[in-house]
Amino acid sequence: MTDALRPVRRALLSVHDKTGLVPFARALAARGILLISTGGTAKALGDAGLKVAEVATITNFPEMLDGRVKTLHPAIHGGLLARRDDAAHMAAIRQHGIEPIDLLVSNLYPSAATVARGAGFEACVENIDIGGPAMIRAAAKNFDGVAVVTDPADYDAVLADLAAHDGATSLSLRQRLMALAYARTAAYDAGIAEWLGARPGETFPETLGIAARLKQRLRYGENPHQQAAFYVGGAARPGVATSEQIQGKELSYNNLNDTDAAFELVAEFDVPAVAIIKHANPCGVAVGADLADAYRKALACDPVSAYGGIVAVNRPLDGAVAELIGKLFAEVVIAPKVDLDARDALKRKAQLRILVTSGMPDPAASGVTLRSLAGGYLLQSRDNGRVGAGDLKTVTKRAPSPRELEDLLFAFRVAKHVKSNAIVYAKAGATVGIGAGQMSRVDSSRMAAWKAAESAKTAGLADSPAKGSVVASDAFFPFADGLLAAVEAGATAVIQPGGSIRDADVIAAADQAGIAMVFTGMRHFRH
């Protein structure tokens, strides 16, 4: 490898995405660079009045197999792979009448887009590019002599480099383009592997490929000394990855993490719902007749913690609820849509970030979640489990009333999105106390009761809203103490998975207290 500049005399252009192609090619031609091209790319350039040498005239071999074979030929790959500083290489290509190719411009068949639009298996397979990745990898390997461009966003950088070096490319540019090229083909192949791995019976492939593209560089990570970026990939699920930011300052790492948690939570409900999230845990969740009603109830749960939180709604954000949100210092608001009245109401909160997703995620949809560990990854299916009234087993002498049953199902759905150990007190379709992330379940129960009592003081209420509430636990009570703490706070019914070796003791304690308890048979740990 040398640091020599490499003049560009011949360029091969073969692209699916033709964004910016014609002006870029025109600038190359203006420098006297010979343009070589294939199929649709050659036609696009020819229609623009540019002189193009068809690949078939270079290879002396026609395209065949419906275009599957056109650039897979020594005349192309020899021109890309021959080392300019190796006399034997250069002699070999001269012997076979092969000319060097100094610049490759190639992007790939839209495999991921074909999958995303729901095309059939055969159509998806047909959109797996073969020749493109082969050329890109060849050119990238020979970066000392060849520049490879895989993204139209790099056209201007290439033209600037040519202008700065009298029609030659610099080593620094070629090295940068090499890295981008290998990342591009790696992500492309990973996307195909991910699609095939997601087919029935193939949830956990032998080799895990991750295909993602950079959406945003972030100021820092969880803390200022950590670097961070936001990548998007995988299934097109409505949420932060698909959202459009219509207002506010730049999103942070913590904003994105918390907003994702908030939006996934409100998606659980079919009626108007609001969730207020702080540090990926809900500090208030409610359903209501409309968003404004739900918002008031959600905020009442813990108005102190709501300061600086994330607000998620599952209906189009309207002016009425926007006016209410405007009275709170919030970091982010996320909604499927935002109407004009809401936009006007929040304009004065110029720093408030507003995200519009154009849809809601399906909480019952299958999918996977990925987490990194030192030296590896944990992959699991998404927690899409849902419990309905028909799934519940009453284990106490007293069955829950219809009102209690409705609140129990609501509370258990919220508990699914609270960090374990999770305890949720709820009443009238709203959380009134939440205990999250404690090492002991009884501590979570006590904390949730304390939170409820504190919110009563803030609101000037005589009694804690935990009185007459129901309680949800994301996992079984290992001892009766957590349940007794809820009874002491005034709860009248409990929902929990069951399954402890001490279930009988817990049931007996519930019966002695005269409360109702149901088992779900489903746990919702969230770590």
Side-chain angles (χ1 to χ4, degrees), residues 215 230 237-243 255-256 259-260 263 334 355 357:
K215 180 173 182 177
F230 180 29
R237 184 173 175 85
V240 291
T242 63
S243 68
N255 290 155
L256 290 163
T259 304
D260 178 68
F263 202 56
I334 184 169
L355 304 183
T357 66

Side-chain angles (χ1 to χ4, degrees), residues 330-455:
E331 292 281 359
V332 183
V333 175
I334 184 169
K337 292 183 181 178
V338 179
D339 70 22
L340 293 177
D341 289 341
R343 296 187 188 208
D344 288 341
L346 294 173
K347 274 183 179 178
R348 64 183 180 274
K349 308 279 286 189
Q351 299 298 305
L352 174 64
R353 306 160 179 91
I354 301 177
L355 304 183
V356 183
T357 66
S358 300
M360 296 297 301
D362 179 2
S366 61
V368 294
T369 62
L370 181 70
R371 177 176 296 181
S372 65
L373 299 180
Y377 299 94
L378 286 175
L379 183 70
Q380 66 173 344
S381 59
R382 181 185 292 116
D383 184 0
N384 61 352
R386 308 191 85 188
V387 171
D391 302 309
L392 304 181
K393 177 184 178 183
T394 300
V395 294
T396 48
K397 295 175 182 177
R398 182 173 83 78
S401 68
R403 180 197 64 80
E404 287 173 328
L405 181 60
E406 187 175 349
D407 280 338
L408 287 169
L409 290 170
F410 166 81
F412 195 65
R413 200 162 286 181
V414 173
K416 172 181 172 181
H417 295 266
V418 180
K419 297 295 180 70
S420 300
N421 289 313
I423 295 289
V424 175
Y425 289 67
K427 184 164 60 178
T431 58
V432 296
I434 300 173
Q438 298 305 300
M439 290 68 73
S440 167
R441 191 160 298 277
V442 66
D443 286 345
S444 288
S445 190
R446 290 168 177 160
M447 175 182 287
W450 176 81
K451 285 280 191 180
E454 288 297 302
S455 69

